[in-house]
Amino acid sequence: MNVADSERIAGWYENRGWKPADKIEKADEAVINSCSVRQSAENRVFGLVNNLSKIKNKNPKFKIILTGCMLRYPLADLRKKLPGVNEFKKISEFLLDSKFIIHNSSVHAYIPIMEGCNNFCSYCVVPYARGREKSKPLKEILCEAKELVERGYREITLLGQNVNSYGKDSQISKSKSKTKNFKVPFAELLKELSKIEKLEKISFMTSNPWDLTDDIIETMSLPKIDRYLHLAVQSGNNEILKKMNRKYSAKDFLALVKKIRQKIPEIKIGTDIIVGFPGESEKQFQETVALCRKIGFTKAYISLYSPRPGTGAFRLKDDVSYREKKRRWLILDRLINQHVF
Ligand code: SF4
């Protein structure tokens, strides 16, 4: 999502006649698109602002602009903690017609189809950083996809924190006055996009197990839909899943994967896993390992649990040591990503 937002920021500047500087020292402005998902990502912003401030000392006209998820914090606090930043701008302030977005590839483009999340998984800042789910109108997405195809793009990835629940909310529109309630299921969106001639491949992320309904699975078998599915499991232990506020059990997840594979046998499935969630015992971790063995994920983004202020899990004691988290990370990384069994 942040990559797609950065493409929009680049387009916003170029549309105003700016050009990317070949060296940061030659730039007039630097925009930092921050991520809040882990503490380490926020720490990097502090380091980056410090480094960029050195350029400001040599070139007083140089401006540092901060945008992205860190803007969830009160502005007064940000100003105090990041005195080197000249401007704090919400992502929505880089409003841009989709035809001006600068995509990093000439064949593939991202299309954000919704913003925010309603799920409040206990470890996650997204609902606080990006707000509640708001879907882009179907018409706007179709227009954007058709425009991209006319410009030569052949592959799109639909983006959202929970794409399967697309359309269950009120829509977001470039013109706020057009906002009204609508219901367009995600399966319908996939079917409509599939009809676009010359569009060859449609991918989407991220999917959550509890919203992956039968009609979506049915639609996923359409020939243009990517045969890779990213389905976050997070843990293979029911108690930990409950503490994470995930709405399924390990058994439910296995049954869902079985159903998907029955319908689309060639599908590859990737996942997200968090190791070292508060209270995760060795036995509970081993249940995650066992589930991963059973499923045979193609790849996994494995995170070491990091407490995030404001989230439900922040109240729980972060009692798995860094060393132990790293050990568990290595076991899963070797098992899933390096295929060492
Ligand atoms: S569904 Fe994803 S984005 Fe939403 S709260 Fe859970 S982990 Fe965060």
Side-chain angles (χ1 to χ4, degrees):
M1 193 62 103
N2 273 30
V3 171
D5 285 342
S6 294
E7 288 181 344
R8 188 165 77 180
I9 296 167
W12 189 88
Y13 273 92
E14 295 214 9
N15 194 34
R16 279 161 182 72
W18 290 62
K19 292 269 169 286
D22 51 6
K23 270 186 178 174
I24 188 74
E25 292 77 12
K26 290 189 190 164
D28 296 304
E29 288 190 7
V31 184
I32 303 172
N33 187 10
S34 62
C35 171
S36 259
V37 78
R38 277 184 256 162
Q39 187 58 46
S40 56
E42 287 189 3
N43 292 346
R44 283 204 296 275
V45 169
F46 286 98
L48 191 57
V49 171
N50 260 345
N51 287 339
L52 292 175
S53 296
K54 289 174 198 150
I55 302 175
K56 244 166 84 167
N57 295 338
K58 289 183 199 151
N59 173 11
K61 281 191 192 153
F62 178 73
K63 267 166 90 176
I64 304 173
I65 296 159
L66 183 75
T67 186
C69 292
M70 276 177 79
L71 266 80
R72 73 192 177 101
Y73 294 117
L75 218 52
D77 290 359
L78 285 173
R79 284 205 179 100
K80 214 153 112 193
K81 286 184 183 159
L82 291 160
V85 174
N86 298 79
E87 261 180 63
F88 297 90
K89 263 177 134 165
K90 290 211 165 111
I91 278 286
S92 54
E93 291 180 57
F94 295 95
L95 203 64
L96 183 74
D97 195 288
S98 57
K99 62 177 173 281
F100 298 117
I101 296 174
I102 311 280
H103 296 286
N104 292 338
S105 150
S106 56
V107 284
H108 168 267
Y110 291 113
I111 304 185
I113 61 164
M114 60 197 298
E115 266 284 333
C117 184
N118 293 349
N119 290 301
F120 292 91
C121 301
S122 67
Y123 51 82
C124 181
V125 292
V126 167
Y128 310 96
R130 289 190 178 256
R132 298 307 156 271
E133 283 176 15
K134 286 190 204 83
S135 304
K136 241 192 218 176
L138 175 83
K139 254 190 181 167
E140 228 169 83
I141 300 168
L142 291 178
C143 262
E144 201 168 327
K146 283 176 190 162
E147 233 168 55
L148 285 164
V149 169
E150 273 164 35
R151 284 158 61 196
Y153 291 88
R154 293 291 173 261
E155 296 175 12
I156 55 170
T157 299
L158 309 175
L159 295 177
Q161 262 75 34
N162 185 19
V163 286
N164 307 147
S165 69
Y166 169 80
K168 284 187 181 166
D169 53 277
S170 62
Q171 64 188 29
I172 36 168
S173 171
K174 277 178 213 143
S175 148
K176 287 221 169 85
S177 59
K178 284 186 205 154
T179 302
K180 59 175 189 238
N181 287 329
F182 80 125
K183 295 234 182 271
V184 183
F186 184 58
E188 205 54 43
L189 172 66
L190 291 180
K191 277 187 213 156
E192 288 301 315
L193 286 166
S194 276
K195 291 181 195 159
I196 300 176
E197 250 184 86
K198 291 190 189 159
L199 181 59
E200 290 167 9
K201 191 164 148 193
I202 304 162
S203 314
F204 53 85
M205 60 183 181
T206 293
S207 294
N208 281 305
W210 57 86
D211 280 317
L212 198 60
T213 49
D214 290 353
D215 61 334
I216 298 176
I217 299 173
E218 185 67 40
T219 319
M220 277 163 53
S221 58
L222 289 171
K224 289 186 184 178
I225 310 293
D226 191 8
R227 290 322 192 225
Y228 171 79
L229 173 70
H230 198 82
L231 195 61
V233 65
Q234 306 299 7
S235 168
N237 172 266
N238 292 342
E239 243 171 89
I240 295 291
L241 285 170
K242 204 165 170 207
K243 275 161 89 178
M244 286 177 166
N245 198 24
R246 305 284 290 179
K247 302 166 188 87
Y248 52 88
S249 64
K251 209 171 139 200
D252 297 337
F253 193 89
L254 280 165
L256 178 64
V257 169
K258 192 173 165 201
K259 202 197 285 181
I260 297 167
R261 285 186 168 148
Q262 269 165 357
K263 185 81 204 155
I264 315 160
E266 70 279 22
I267 197 122
K268 292 186 164 53
I269 300 175
T271 197
D272 296 329
I273 303 170
I274 296 173
V275 292
F277 189 81
E280 187 190 59
S281 65
E282 176 61 20
K283 193 171 163 276
Q284 289 171 325
F285 168 67
Q286 285 305 333
E287 286 185 31
T288 303
V289 177
L291 181 114
C292 292
R293 279 191 205 280
K294 273 190 205 153
I295 291 190
F297 292 113
T298 311
K299 65 176 170 190
Y301 295 96
I302 309 156
S303 312
L304 312 190
Y305 171 75
S306 153
R308 310 302 296 118
T311 60
F314 192 66
R315 290 190 298 264
L316 305 172
K317 196 168 170 219
D318 182 20
D319 53 0
V320 181
S321 70
Y322 178 78
R323 211 170 147 194
E324 181 55 24
K325 285 177 188 166
K326 203 75 214 181
R327 187 187 71 84
R328 294 179 188 179
W329 181 92
L330 208 65
I331 292 171
L332 289 178
D333 185 58
R334 281 165 64 88
L335 174 70
I336 304 168
N337 297 326
Q338 298 178 45
H339 308 285
V340 182
F341 298 99

